[in-house]
Amino acid sequence: MLMRLRFILLFLLTPFVLFAQDLIPKPVSFEKREGTFRLNSSTVVLNESASEEVKSIAESMRLRIASTTHLNPELVKVARRNFISFSINSELAAEAYTIHIDNEKAELKGGSGRSLFYAYQTLLQLFEDQIYNSEASYGFRLTLPACDIFDQPRFGYRGSMLDVGRHLMPVSFIKKYIDLLAMYKFNQFHWHLTEDQGWRIEIKKYPKLTEVGAYRKESMVGHYSDQKFDGKQYGGFYTQEEVKEIVAYAASKYINVIPEIEMPGHAQAALASYPELGCTGGPYEVRTLWGVSENVYCPYETTFTFLQDVLTEVMELFPSEYIHIGGDECPKTTWEESEFCQNLIKSEGLGDEHGLQSYFISRIDSFLTSKGRKLIGWDEILEGGLSPNATVMSWRGTEGGIEAARQKHDVIMSPNSYYYLDYYQGDPATEPLAIGGNLPLEKVYSYEPFTDELTEDQQQYILGVQGNLWTEYIATPEKAEYMLFPRLLAVAETGWSPQGEKDYENFVSRVQGHFGKLLMRNVNFSRSIWNLESEVTGNPGQGLTLWLNTVVENPVIRYNLGEELPDGNSPVYDPEKGIKIEKGTMIRAALFDKDNKPYGNVFTTTLKVNKATGKTYEYRSKPTRYTGGSTYALTDGKVGVLNNNNTWVGLNGDDLDLTLDLGEITEINELIIGFLHAPGSWIMYPKNLQISTSEDGEKFRDYPVYDLTVPEGASAAGQSMMNLNGVKARYLKIKAENYGSLPEGHAGAGKPAWLFVDEIEVN
């Protein structure tokens, strides 16, 4: 299977200038020169420094060559030719490096040991892929292109977060993860260690945190909206010795490990262990549902003593200047109902529960500052006033980061809309289960941390960027790798490469060039980059045209109309003509290689052709976030897909209210509208439907209000049909009443419900 995949990779990669385009992240400058440096039995590795740090990097190069080839170079102090050298150049900035390669040598110079390590990572990428092989290979020749490289990072903070609270990952995988971060020049590993669903770090003073808090009685199966469980106990934790081992391993790769201990919310596992820390006193159990618990720390003095004790042990394990305390998604219900909390708000003049959260964070900030550390929190720590020394990690879009920078606070940009790598990266019908969303590689790559909303002075507070992997739906290292790669490469390039140098087409070619390297490192990367994308055009009476796009140059795409999978005998897609659709049908398509065999995911979509298809309409209440992917998504023939919110038109708290123009007076027998019901995602079926028709757009005839029946199941897409008995009209007014506020007992009780709709059909 591996050899087969490697053949496909070779087939897919378009011709490019060898080596130069294959570097990720893209360096500041790369100048190709004539010639090639070939390693042979005479090659040595030259360490020109007395530094043990430099010696260690040089030895890593020597061992890498020795372990993957038949060569066994010596580590020497002096050499005249045929060598790879490592040295410090004090004239370079601390994280800057240069590489010079000619026919006789490869010289790496760095402003520090750290930057020399980055130069080493770049050099490895310049070799053939087999340099990353875990076993010795005798079938390739080690060559390097003659070139000159100058490089240094754009941002000082380049991070990646791994959540182990929902699903524990083995130490072996954590080390592999760190290796991959180092390969792409990340310097921060954010380790999310505590959650409602599990406490994952040993704290010797409070043993119940791991005796009780590290284990939940069962886990969710399928999507949250399905509300199903496996009935199996799940848990585990990292001992302090394991933590020390990982921290030391990361340090050897010039990566700092930032621990996250959540507070005041996401604390139910801790409360299950020590219920006296909660406002109600319990009893509590480690949460089995994903999502947010209302059980949070109560701001007693005993709670602050507990947290300071915990953080003291954490700081003994982690030398990181930064300590992350979460601070996000803290429901205020128990504080609102607590006499103690209400009295504290009054006595301290805090105003309300948001002020109480700020008070809580400020207490912890003062403690960490007194220990010479810096607090990082998610952007909710802005609520009620920002603690003086806090660094904000902006996740709810970019607004929190922008506001913090305006207040002259350091910011790490980590917006969920670009950097939450647990979101789907392709069609949910062909992707493994994910939390939702739609975040393909191109969108991850498109993110730019600097915006026009910040002045040049304010931009200096943007420390860098971070990609996040939450693990509600990621139980294994293999799936974690699938969700991370190659999207994490886009985060790496944004964090490192010069501003204004982005070119997605060029980046995609380099990403495909890295697939072989990732294969050598046994990384289960996603092939979703090859997914087919679609666009629909056309008008009623003439049908629709489906257009398919791919990053592959000169692709061979075969398709079938209907449910049958395409094979070597299926029609070949013509990019000049598209696929003509005259009546509603399913279309399935796939890429085919030179052997006429399919590869990548099968593209599947269903198009409906009716009298409304391709027609325009005017909103009176416009979608606020979810637009269905096109201006007239409700009449484009594409039907909303269960578990892919981005295929629907969504309105938050508003009714669907529009007028559809059929273009001419048309006989209408039935009107069909699709709605989504997914309460776990705050999406509720509408209460009712009101229809009006008109021939001239002035005088409308109202029909009885249709009370709608909610479809069965925790999550379902349903259709509502109205019989209009052959009425003749050009205009249709359609109003679907939003559910309103979410009901009591719902996690978002009192908040406005979403109304999701797609597609409108007229027959």
Side-chain angles (χ1 to χ4, degrees):
M1 176 61 187
L2 187 59
M3 291 303 295
R4 169 68 181 154
L5 182 54
R6 286 177 184 167
F7 172 80
I8 290 175
L9 285 167
L10 291 173
F11 162 71
L12 283 172
L13 297 183
T14 55
F16 58 88
V17 180
L18 189 60
F19 308 113
Q21 293 184 0
D22 205 20
L23 295 177
I24 297 177
K26 185 178 181 181
V28 173
S29 68
F30 180 102
E31 187 174 353
K32 183 76 171 66
R33 302 210 178 263
E34 293 297 322
T36 302
F37 175 52
R38 299 182 183 278
L39 280 69
N40 56 43
S41 58
S42 300
T43 303
V44 295
V45 177
L46 176 60
N47 171 26
E48 298 180 305
S49 171
S51 165
E52 288 297 316
E53 195 175 18
V54 176
K55 180 181 177 181
S56 176
I57 297 168
E59 177 65 6
S60 295
M61 181 77 263
R62 190 193 72 78
L63 289 174
R64 173 59 55 184
I65 295 171
S67 65
T68 58
T69 74
H70 62 288
L71 302 177
N72 189 22
E74 291 184 69
L75 187 63
V76 300
K77 284 286 187 182
V78 179
R80 291 186 176 181
R81 59 180 299 174
N82 209 272
F83 61 82
I84 301 174
S85 69
F86 295 84
S87 62
I88 297 294
N89 180 350
S90 59
E91 294 182 1
L92 291 170
E95 288 198 296
Y97 68 85
T98 61
I99 297 177
H100 169 79
I101 302 173
D102 58 32
N103 293 338
E104 297 186 342
K105 61 185 178 296
E107 295 178 307
L108 284 70
K109 299 180 185 294
S112 65
R114 176 185 296 275
S115 59
L116 197 57
F117 179 79
Y118 296 148
Y120 168 53
Q121 298 304 316
T122 297
L123 190 73
L124 289 177
Q125 291 190 26
L126 289 173
F127 280 109
E128 297 170 43
D129 295 346
Q130 288 89 338
I131 196 71
Y132 292 106
N133 202 343
S134 57
E135 299 178 2
S137 173
Y138 300 96
F140 76 103
R141 301 177 67 183
L142 284 170
T143 59
L144 291 167
C147 62
D148 282 297
I149 297 173
F150 170 77
D151 205 7
Q152 62 184 1
R154 178 184 178 192
F155 289 109
Y157 186 107
R158 305 175 301 281
S160 179
M161 187 281 292
L162 178 66
D163 162 32
V164 294
R166 280 52 176 255
H167 283 105
L168 189 75
M169 297 291 166
V171 171
S172 59
F173 172 69
I174 300 293
K175 289 184 175 180
K176 181 181 180 182
Y177 187 20
I178 289 168
D179 285 339
L180 292 165
L181 293 182
M183 180 176 173
Y184 294 105
K185 302 183 179 71
F186 286 90
N187 63 353
Q188 305 290 338
F189 170 42
H190 173 182
W191 201 4
H192 186 85
L193 289 162
T194 70
E195 257 305 336
D196 290 319
Q197 294 83 9
W199 185 283
R200 304 293 178 219
I201 181 172
E202 178 187 24
I203 301 296
K204 295 186 183 297
K205 191 167 185 176
Y206 297 98
K208 289 183 181 179
L209 287 171
T210 47
E211 292 171 1
V212 176
Y215 300 90
R216 58 178 180 262
K217 68 180 181 182
E218 59 185 0
S219 302
M220 299 194 79
V221 177
H223 204 270
Y224 179 91
S225 56
D226 297 332
Q227 295 288 291
K228 295 181 180 179
F229 299 86
D230 61 9
K232 301 175 183 178
Q233 187 187 57
Y234 180 89
F237 61 94
Y238 301 97
T239 67
Q240 291 199 358
E241 288 306 309
E242 287 175 324
V243 170
K244 290 176 183 176
E245 179 184 347
I246 288 169
V247 169
Y249 187 80
S252 73
K253 311 289 183 180
Y254 295 90
I255 291 174
N256 176 56
V257 184
I258 300 173
E260 181 176 358
I261 307 297
E262 276 273 14
M263 62 186 82
H266 291 278
Q268 189 163 316
L271 299 184
S273 307
Y274 296 95
E276 65 272 17
L277 302 176
C279 289
T280 68
Y284 308 101
E285 67 173 12
V286 180
R287 186 174 170 89
T288 57
L289 284 164
W290 307 140
V292 180
S293 169
E294 290 191 349
N295 297 311
V296 304
Y297 288 118
C298 209
Y300 303 131
E301 286 304 313
T302 53
T303 300
F304 288 114
T305 298
F306 164 81
L307 289 171
Q308 288 175 7
D309 289 342
V310 167
L311 290 172
T312 296
E313 288 197 35
V314 167
M315 287 186 285
E316 290 171 354
L317 296 170
F318 295 88
S320 170
E321 179 184 20
Y322 291 113
I323 304 294
H324 206 302
I325 55 84
D328 62 312
E329 296 178 323
C330 179
K332 310 299 191 293
T333 305
T334 57
W335 290 355
E336 291 169 357
E337 298 172 352
S338 164
E339 183 179 356
F340 172 84
C341 290
Q342 294 305 309
N343 288 335
L344 184 60
I345 289 171
K346 291 177 183 177
S347 65
E348 295 291 333
L350 302 177
D352 58 16
E353 289 74 25
H354 293 294
L356 181 57
Q357 176 165 326
S358 180
Y359 166 83
F360 196 113
I361 300 299
S362 293
R363 288 277 303 262
I364 300 300
D365 185 18
S366 296
F367 174 72
L368 291 174
T369 300
S370 73
K371 303 299 180 182
R373 306 299 181 96
K374 291 183 178 180
L375 178 150
I376 295 181
W378 301 105
D379 55 58
E380 282 94 333
I381 67 174
L382 285 160
E383 296 171 2
L386 190 54
S387 188
N389 303 307
T391 295
V392 172
M393 189 167 278
S394 185
W395 77 276
R396 295 179 301 178
T398 60
E399 291 81 4
I402 291 169
E403 179 57 32
R406 285 172 175 164
Q407 295 182 29
K408 298 186 178 181
H409 280 267
D410 288 341
V411 176
I412 298 155
M413 299 304 285
S414 188
N416 59 343
S417 49
Y418 293 94
Y419 281 173
Y420 267 38
L421 305 183
D422 55 327
Y423 288 5
Y424 283 109
Q425 53 193 312
D427 183 353
T430 60
E431 290 287 330
L433 182 67
I435 194 169
N438 180 31
L439 196 52
L441 179 66
E442 184 172 8
K443 186 171 183 181
V444 180
Y445 189 71
S446 71
Y447 178 61
E448 168 50 48
F450 288 168
T451 72
D452 293 339
E453 296 175 76
L454 294 176
T455 66
E456 186 174 340
D457 180 61
Q458 291 166 343
Q459 288 177 358
Q460 68 179 307
Y461 295 100
I462 306 296
L463 301 182
V465 296
Q466 178 172 290
N468 297 326
L469 189 69
W470 302 99
T471 61
E472 290 93 333
Y473 299 91
I474 302 171
T476 66
E478 292 76 20
K479 188 170 182 181
E481 291 173 0
Y482 182 90
M483 302 302 284
L484 286 165
F485 294 95
R487 291 187 291 183
L488 197 59
L489 307 190
V491 181
E493 184 141 313
T494 297
W496 182 280
S497 301
Q499 183 179 9
E501 291 293 315
K502 285 188 174 180
D503 180 333
Y504 182 67
E505 186 175 338
N506 175 266
F507 176 70
V508 166
S509 73
R510 286 182 283 127
V511 166
Q512 292 181 90
H514 273 244
F515 283 171
K517 304 179 195 303
L518 293 172
L519 280 174
M520 289 294 173
R521 303 203 80 155
N522 297 310
V523 176
N524 181 40
F525 61 89
S526 169
R527 281 76 172 172
S528 302
I529 191 173
W530 297 327
N531 285 356
L532 296 171
E533 301 290 337
S534 68
E535 184 180 353
V536 177
T537 59
N539 296 302
Q542 300 174 351
L544 298 171
T545 301
L546 178 70
W547 305 94
L548 300 174
N549 302 299
T550 175
V551 299
V552 178
E553 272 197 19
N554 303 315
V556 175
I557 302 172
R558 293 183 179 272
Y559 68 93
N560 280 332
L561 301 183
E563 296 186 5
E564 187 177 345
L565 290 171
D567 57 26
N569 297 315
S570 300
V572 176
Y573 172 77
D574 184 342
E576 298 296 324
K577 297 180 179 179
I579 303 172
K580 304 299 182 183
I581 308 296
E582 296 182 356
K583 61 181 181 179
T585 184
M586 175 184 286
I587 302 99
R588 311 196 78 176
L591 289 160
F592 281 71
D593 63 20
K594 291 181 179 179
D595 290 338
N596 211 18
K597 301 293 184 182
Y599 65 89
N601 294 330
V602 175
F603 168 84
T604 302
T605 192
T606 298
L607 295 181
K608 293 193 172 183
V609 180
N610 57 82
K611 295 177 180 179
T613 305
K615 295 304 185 182
T616 62
Y617 48 86
E618 183 179 344
Y619 285 114
R620 278 175 290 279
S621 53
K622 292 189 176 181
T624 53
R625 178 176 174 186
Y626 298 96
T627 62
S630 65
T631 304
Y632 297 107
L634 298 179
T635 57
D636 65 357
K638 292 183 178 180
V639 179
V641 178
L642 195 64
N643 290 333
N644 184 357
N645 291 351
N646 291 285
T647 64
W648 297 80
V649 171
L651 299 111
N652 188 214
D654 288 330
D655 301 332
L656 174 71
D657 192 356
L658 60 81
T659 299
L660 172 66
D661 182 0
L662 295 174
E664 60 184 7
I665 296 175
T666 304
E667 182 177 306
I668 305 171
N669 289 299
E670 64 180 9
L671 172 66
I672 301 174
I673 307 178
F675 297 104
L676 180 63
H677 183 66
S681 299
W682 299 24
I683 302 167
M684 307 294 283
Y685 219 66
K687 290 181 177 179
N688 55 58
L689 196 58
Q690 173 69 60
I691 304 299
S692 305
T693 63
S694 172
E695 292 187 1
D696 58 8
E698 298 292 335
K699 298 178 181 178
F700 280 85
R701 172 187 174 185
D702 295 334
Y703 293 83
V705 175
Y706 294 83
D707 292 319
L708 302 181
T709 303
V710 178
E712 296 181 1
S715 181
Q719 288 187 323
S720 297
M721 183 176 71
M722 287 123 287
N723 191 342
L724 298 183
N725 298 316
V727 67
K728 293 184 178 180
R730 172 175 173 173
Y731 299 95
L732 275 170
K733 275 188 181 179
I734 301 171
K735 184 174 182 179
E737 185 181 357
N738 189 292
Y739 181 90
S741 297
L742 293 164
E744 287 189 21
H746 190 282
K751 300 290 182 61
W754 283 89
L755 172 62
F756 271 38
V757 57
D758 192 52
E759 163 102 349
I760 299 174
E761 301 175 50
V762 174
N763 299 307

